[in-house]
Amino acid sequence: MERKVAIIFGGKSAEHEVSLASATNICNAMDCKRFTPVLLGIDKKGEWCYDKEYPTTGVNLVKNDYFSKAEHVYLSSSKSHIQVIEKKSNRVLADFDVVFPIVHGTFGEDGTLQGILKSLDVPFVGPDVLGSAIAMDKDIAKRLFRSAGIPVASSYTLYKHDASSYTFEQIAARLGLPCFVKPANAGSSVGVSKVTNEAEYLNALQEGFRYDNKVLVEEAVVGKELECGVLGNEEARASVVGEIVATESFYSYDAKYISSTGATLQVPARIDAALSDSIREYAVRAFHAIGCEGMARVDFLLSDSGKLVLNEINTLPGFTAISMYPKMWEQTGVPEKELITELIMLAVRRHERDTNLSVAVKL
């Protein structure tokens, strides 16, 4: 059966443009014999938009503005699919029966969008509400990783209303310098600052609190940046390990998604087999520890002295032309088209499982 797949992209977060690039690649790589893509945008104000004239072949959402001629719409659930309805006229403009959400960052991968999709009773790619929300909160996620026996970097958690609860001297004495300041609930290195002195620390706090009311001040683990993809529901598996060779002082937002010269991606990573196996085992364990299903990219840091820590987990990893997640799976033997197909079918199977569970509870 051919399925209509809504690729939901854009959003209000600082990662709006990255989402456009990810959606472009997903749409162009999707198996057109099995799936019909339905492009569904969320603009920077949070309005849902649909352009019925926008082509779904040879797509380039970065270059060709989707939102300029799109109508404001809302979604409505029917018995067999979800309808896209124009706000002005209440006309049905399109419909779909499964979702590939690729709205990165806040409101997209933090459980907010997943809650909307859950309430519509539609299958969607990626983790459910709880796994998404936990993964986005680096503070809560680190607590669960630590409980699961997964090594993480030492850190302090600071709240905006009480940012002076620890002095810079206390933090530097425990974590050392340099250290990093990062928003607890922002993705893809948004708002992250490297700190080497008190003046930089105070500026970094201001920058971090622009994006969240809670920040982490974390020890610097200087060495290799390693990543591993996880794919699956109950039976998840790990990809080969990839390595980020950053040309900047750290793997910044621009280096991850925008600048093709900001970093070199080495797949597989230049590490021995035993370490690779450990990382892959930790990645799957972390995936399950916070209740993920579908997909995630798990990021690690390996110090020059051999200390390995889990840095963070990303539940809607980038699918841009320079993104690591699809590259790692390609090197594992799963080309991008097959990867997208598997992700969609994982979403469908999870929805069927949960629907059957709901029916059993009612009976």
Side-chain angles (χ1 to χ4, degrees), residues 20-35:
L20 302 184
S22 290
T24 294
N25 277 6
I26 291 167
C27 189
N28 291 333
M30 187 175 287
D31 188 346
C32 61
K33 294 181 180 179
R34 298 188 63 176
F35 309 112

Side-chain angles (χ1 to χ4, degrees), residues 14 104 163 188 198 221 262 356:
H104 300 303
S188 302
E198 187 170 9
V221 180
N356 289 337

